[in-house]
Every structure is written in C-alpha cells, then in structure tokens.
Amino acid sequence: LPRQTDVTVIGANFDFLPNPVCLFGEDEVPAQRVSNTMLTCGVPFISTLKTVYFTVLDRARQVEVNMGSNLTFAFVERPSINTIYPQIIVAESTRTLTVNGEGLALLSGVQCRLGSLQVEAVHVGGAQRQLECTFGSTLKEGQHQLKVFSNFGTMTSSKAMVQVIAQPELVRIEPRIAVAGANRTITIEGNGFVDTDDIECFFDDLPSRAFFVSGGEMLCSLPSNIRAKKYRVRMSIAGVLGRDFVTIQLVEPASIASLIPSVGERGTLVTVVGTSFHPDMKCRYGAHRHVGLEYVSSTQVRCIVPIDLPDMPIELGLSLANDAASSTSQSFKPIDLSIASISPSFGGVNGGTPVTLDLRDPDAAQFVTHCLFAKTAVPVSSVGARSVTCNSPQSEGGPCKLRVGTTDKHPSIDSSQFDFKAFQFTAMEPSSGPDTGGTLRVLGSGFVVGKGNSTILFEREMASHYNSKLCT
C-alpha cells in the first residue's frame, strides 16, 4: 500500500474461462488472459493492511476452477530504506554496504546500484530484514545515492547517500616518540581526512579511537595495552585499512632513583639517576613545567633548577612530549644559600681558623654540609640557627671565594671573600718583662690593621705560669 500492483497468476487451461476474474477476499477485479497458463489482474485499492484468500473464478460462475491449494495475498506497506552502513567508503577498495529498512524480506530479485555499478543484493539478518550489497570495482569519488531494484520497483531514500573518497594520505606524526601505556593522544597530519565516527587508528594490528580535527589533522589515542617498540600507524575508514603509514617509537616509562643534590639553590645543576632515560626527554618540575636537560646516558641526565621556583618542595621528574606520566619523580627542595656575612674574613695560610658564615635563608643552615674555600671543600664543624662554622684549610696567601654547599661538589651560586694571610714575625720588644704584665711590641709582616685582638701563646719556660696573654 498505497500503490496498486498487477498480479500474475500461473496455472493451466485458462482458455476454458470465458470471463475470468480475480477475487481478493471479497473484492472482485477482472482478469486478463495472457495465455492458457497465465492470467494478470489488478489489485483492488485497500486502505488497511491485511492478508486475504485469493481465488480465480469465472464471472458467470459457469466454469469451476480448481485452486489446488489455499492461496493468500498480503496487503503490506511499501518496503522502505531507513539507513545504510557505511556512508563513507574508500574508492579503491571492495566494500559491502548494509541496507536496513522496513519490509525488505518481501523483496525478490534485488539489485543495488551505486554510481555506475550495479550488483546483486543478498538478504541477511534476522527474518532477512537487511540487505548486503558488495561493490568490488573502483567507484568514482563523490556523493552517490544508493538505489535498490526489486519486485516492488525502485527504492531509494535521502538517507541512502554514500560518500566515496580517495585513500587518505598520512604525512607526519607528533610526537614521534612517546611513552608506552600513557593515556595520551597522538596527532597525525596528512590530507583527505573526513569527519566520521567510523574511523580508527591502528598501531600495527592494535586498534584505537580516532578523532577528526580537520581535513589535514586527526587525533589517535594510544591503546592502553600497547608495549614499548616501534609501530607503523595506519588509519581505517569503515573497516578498510589505508596503505599510507607513519611510524612512532614507544619507550618504557623512566624511573628516577635519586637526585644529587635533592636540596639546593635555584639554578643548581641536579644529576638525576635512574633507568630508561631517553635523549628526547625533558626535566619536569611539578605537573606542567618542562625544560631541557643534558642527556648523559640511559641511567643519568642533568637538570638545571629554574630560578623562579616557589619556596616549597617540588616534584622533579622527566617528561617525553610534555607527558607527565613519562617517569616517576623525586622531591627537590629549593633553598637560598646566599651568605649574609662571614667572621672573621681572614686567616693564616696554615689553616685552622674557625670561620662562621651567616646565611640569609633561615632554613638553609640545616642543609649545608660543606664550605668551599676556592676549590677546597671542608666539612661543616658546627651548625647554628642561621649559620654554619668551618675551619679554614691550608692555602697559599691571598683572597679566595668562599661558598657553602649541600654536598662537597655543589657550591652555592653566591659567594663571599676570605683572605689567607701569610703572617711573619721578625722581632719583639722587649724580649722580657715583669710577671705583672705590660706592653709587648711585635714586629713582622702580614698583620691586619683594625681587625681586633689576637692571641699570643707564650712557650718554653714561661708556659707554666702564663698560658696566654692578649696583646694590643
């Protein structure tokens, strides 16, 4: 319904029917004799869907007709097309279109036509409610409307449009190196990409979701179960795998065992020790700060601590293509090792002078382990609330830069000056004096003017009476 259809009746001895008619239930219509074995009759207009008994009679009812068996005729809705899948296919591939609709099981002698190609259709699905049409030849690119030919005539629909496209071209992948198993998205650049939900990326034979961005860009998710190795990445449209591919190298996530030092100034060069390091990795501070590194080996890299880090411990890790999941991390504490003052600022070349360094950062003293006089590192002898004390080493005379460090190999950026003096005594006057004390004049070189008091040690015969005296 609602279209009227001519019915063909096959039988025998129709020449003996002078006035044949067809009876659809209670509706009678005249029949046309085609031959002794064939009649045709029109279908009466029926407004309801129903199945009726079908009979051939003589209009005058003078000749009896043997029907042989009970025949029925069904008044049905006209079969229609609801959807087809896929609606985007690649021109140079063999593709099967699946047609879904209403009443398709009623069709016989079905053929599908797409563009200039026409093929036989096959009933599939439960109760044969679907059709499959397989096109094996090259289709012309562009929009085509699928047409279905059958005993019901020609069927088509505005929903039966198929877009035929050329094979997409893959040009570039970014990043070209990534961490296996990371929850990240890969960008593929190329030509001829189309906006469809029926597109996938394949990493060798591993499928993953794909997302259309533009005709020249697609996004692919890394499969969660992917291993570390080199992969060829292809694109699939409606199940057809493309010829073009780009390659990506997936590596194991890095593991950080230690930071040397783990406490230091901003601007400090930190040695990172661990496994699975890669030259393309970057140093990661927190979740979003990524800066370059110096690659030493797969187990060691060096990172420079940015000078604008906040005054709090921060996680230092490694990242590949700015992916925070590229490695484990270790905590680094930024501190200020600048020196406010030192006392005294000079000492003898023979060393042994206790030197106290006051630090500007109130929390820094607890992390200082060494003082560095030029290139000579000496351990801290005592730690105060905001200061450390170190004994000066032996050295040649002259000024040197004095720094502190959290290890013996990591001096502070800031420095003060310490002066090594070569004291020399040539004479003293008087050479003797009363035990009640007095003034002693010492002659020599290398003395420091205006630097306060010094201690004279009396030796030999007077040592038992006077261990020391102050000298002006």
Side-chain angles (χ1 to χ4, degrees), residues 280-414:
D280 285 9
M281 286 182 166
K282 292 182 179 181
C283 300
R284 172 178 57 83
Y285 297 91
H288 307 292
R289 184 74 177 274
H290 307 270
V291 296
L293 55 72
E294 177 188 350
Y295 180 81
V296 180
S297 69
S298 62
T299 60
Q300 187 179 115
V301 296
R302 298 190 182 102
C303 299
I304 296 179
V305 179
I307 61 173
D308 57 350
L309 286 184
D311 292 330
M312 63 181 66
I314 193 166
E315 292 297 308
L316 193 159
L318 301 178
S319 65
L320 194 58
N322 292 344
D323 184 0
S326 301
S327 78
T328 58
S329 61
Q330 295 281 339
S331 179
F332 181 87
K333 179 175 176 57
I335 56 175
D336 181 5
L337 293 179
S338 59
I339 301 170
S341 63
I342 64 172
S343 179
S345 61
F346 65 94
V349 292
N350 292 328
T353 302
V355 182
T356 299
L357 300 91
D358 291 319
L359 306 177
R360 298 187 189 279
D361 187 341
D363 297 325
Q366 60 183 312
F367 299 106
V368 175
T369 61
H370 288 77
C371 298
L372 292 98
F373 294 81
K375 296 183 179 181
T376 303
V378 296
V380 170
S381 58
S382 64
V383 178
R386 298 187 59 161
S387 65
V388 295
T389 300
C390 300
N391 293 321
S392 64
Q394 290 184 350
S395 175
E396 296 180 355
C400 75
K401 289 184 177 180
L402 175 58
R403 293 182 170 92
V404 293
T406 56
T407 71
D408 60 348
K409 295 181 175 60
H410 296 88
S412 60
I413 299 173
D414 181 55

Side-chain angles (χ1 to χ4, degrees), residues 22 34 57 182 197 224 231 337 390 441:
C22 295
V34 178
L57 298 173
D197 293 333
S224 59
Y231 289 87
L337 293 179
C390 300
R441 188 180 184 87

Side-chain angles (χ1 to χ4, degrees), residues 62-82:
Q62 295 177 353
V63 179
E64 183 180 352
V65 178
N66 179 17
M67 292 305 298
S69 61
N70 292 329
L71 299 182
T72 59
F73 186 86
F75 293 91
V76 298
E77 288 184 351
R78 177 175 176 79
S80 61
I81 298 174
N82 292 339

